[in-house]
Amino acid sequence: MKKILFIGAGSMAEALMQGWIKQKVFTPQEIYVTNRSDKERLHFLHETYGVHCVFDPAIFQQADLIILAMKPKDAIAAMCDLKPKLTAHTAVLSILAGIAIDTITEFLGSRPVARVMPNTSATIGMSASGIAFNNEVSADQRILFLQLLEAVGSVIEVDEDQLHAVTALSGSGPAYIYYLMEAFERVGTKVGLSKDTVRLLMTQTLAGTAEMLKQSLDEPDVLRKKVTSPGGTTEAGIQALEQYQFNEAIEACIKEAEARSRSLANG
């Protein structure tokens, strides 16, 4: 692939282009980006990463891959505008939350489409992505799409309907962890530590915990119990989480995000 074109220039598009450039999957000269009206945003991406801003309609037909990265609410109008600009067999990679492959082919015509839900950790090569394909995707294209996502993290192939759950869990997941870190920093300073100290302690704790989960054969509940001494500080903390219905809050969080993804699919 010598030309890839992002339709949309938001944070997820930026995370992917930054990750691909950093991992040397694409050079900045091979990446093109356009959006509906925010020229200032396009200028920022050009100045920051050296990618091309697209104003010439001819680029659309020259692109080897189109990446749909606009806001879901703008998707239908954008695809209606996009269809006459594409060649018949241009492949599409969609990172749109909730927008089904059938909807994409309805508006862009029958063509190879991969639908993926990465997350913004693609910026540092640590995304967790789920991907689904339509029947027009060839074996070679499937390998290529997987390689693109593996270059910026881990990718798992799932049934398309499962992408709603992937969106709610790993797609939105970084925001949940950042929200948790905000809470740690807020309470850490209340109990006498500096914000920098809390940040150092908790980022290492989160990183170490994630690595334990990757390396250990134990289930999370077993690992938790190994840390939790009867009558100790951890047990007291866990009891407080249970008192404030931590599990119920997490369940509500994921179910609400998954439902929102489904509602986006229905317009």
Side-chain angles (χ1 to χ4, degrees), residues 80-91:
C80 288
D81 180 66
L82 181 60
K83 184 178 180 180
K85 300 176 183 177
L86 301 184
T87 62
H89 304 293
T90 304

Side-chain angles (χ1 to χ4, degrees), residues 115-134:
R115 184 176 157 207
V116 64
M117 180 46 60
N119 63 40
T120 52
S121 297
T123 300
I124 58 169
M126 293 288 287
S127 178
S129 306
I131 193 168
F133 307 97
N134 71 353

Side-chain angles (χ1 to χ4, degrees), residues 48-59:
T48 304
Y49 305 108
V51 301
H52 299 282
C53 302
V54 174
F55 305 104
D56 182 359
I59 297 297

Side-chain angles (χ1 to χ4, degrees), residues 19-261:
W20 283 334
I21 291 169
K22 187 180 295 184
Q23 300 301 322
K24 303 187 186 307
V25 177
F26 297 108
T27 67
Q29 291 71 38
E30 293 170 327
I31 298 175
Y32 295 74
V33 59
T34 188
N35 62 13
R36 185 173 59 176
S37 58
D38 191 348
K39 306 309 178 192
E40 186 176 331
R41 173 67 174 167
L42 295 180
H43 179 73
F44 166 81
L45 293 174
H46 170 69
E47 290 296 315
T48 304
Y49 305 108
V51 301
H52 299 282
C53 302
V54 174
F55 305 104
D56 182 359
I59 297 297
F60 288 78
Q61 293 197 347
Q62 297 171 17
D64 299 300
L65 175 66
I66 298 290
I67 301 175
L68 302 181
M70 69 288 286
K71 294 176 182 177
K73 67 181 180 63
D74 299 327
I76 302 304
M79 288 190 290
C80 288
D81 180 66
L82 181 60
K83 184 178 180 180
K85 300 176 183 177
L86 301 184
T87 62
H89 304 293
T90 304
V92 169
L93 177 65
S94 172
I95 60 173
L96 303 176
I99 306 299
I101 290 175
D102 284 348
T103 301
I104 295 169
T105 54
E106 176 184 351
F107 288 95
L108 293 183
S110 179
R111 63 181 66 249
V113 178
R115 184 176 157 207
V116 64
M117 180 46 60
N119 63 40
T120 52
S121 297
T123 300
I124 58 169
M126 293 288 287
S127 178
S129 306
I131 193 168
F133 307 97
N134 71 353
N135 292 330
E136 302 300 316
V137 175
S138 69
D140 287 344
Q141 286 173 323
R142 180 180 174 277
I143 291 170
L144 176 61
F145 282 129
L146 290 172
Q147 287 175 338
L148 289 179
L149 275 300
E150 286 169 351
V152 289
S154 300
V155 58
I156 299 174
E157 185 174 351
V158 298
D159 294 334
E160 186 183 8
D161 190 64
Q162 294 176 314
L163 284 174
H164 297 296
V166 172
T167 299
L169 285 163
S170 60
S172 300
Y176 309 148
I177 304 302
Y178 298 141
Y179 194 63
L180 178 63
M181 181 60 76
E182 290 177 54
F184 280 139
E185 290 183 350
R186 190 162 50 248
V187 72
T189 57
K190 286 183 178 179
V191 296
L193 297 174
S194 71
K195 182 177 178 180
D196 287 345
T197 297
V198 178
R199 177 78 59 90
L200 178 63
L201 289 171
M202 297 316 299
T203 52
Q204 183 61 30
T205 298
L206 289 169
T209 302
E211 195 61 33
M212 281 290 291
L213 286 167
K214 288 171 66 175
Q215 293 190 23
S216 176
L217 298 178
D218 291 334
E219 290 294 313
D221 67 319
V222 174
L223 292 171
R224 171 176 57 81
K225 288 171 183 175
K226 287 182 178 180
V227 183
T228 310
S229 302
T233 58
T234 307
E235 184 180 67
I238 293 291
Q239 288 173 349
L241 290 176
E242 291 175 345
Q243 178 184 349
Y244 285 93
Q245 299 182 307
F246 179 81
N247 282 302
E248 289 82 353
I250 295 297
E251 182 174 345
C253 168
I254 301 306
K255 286 185 174 180
E256 286 293 328
E258 199 256 5
R260 179 57 178 157
S261 177

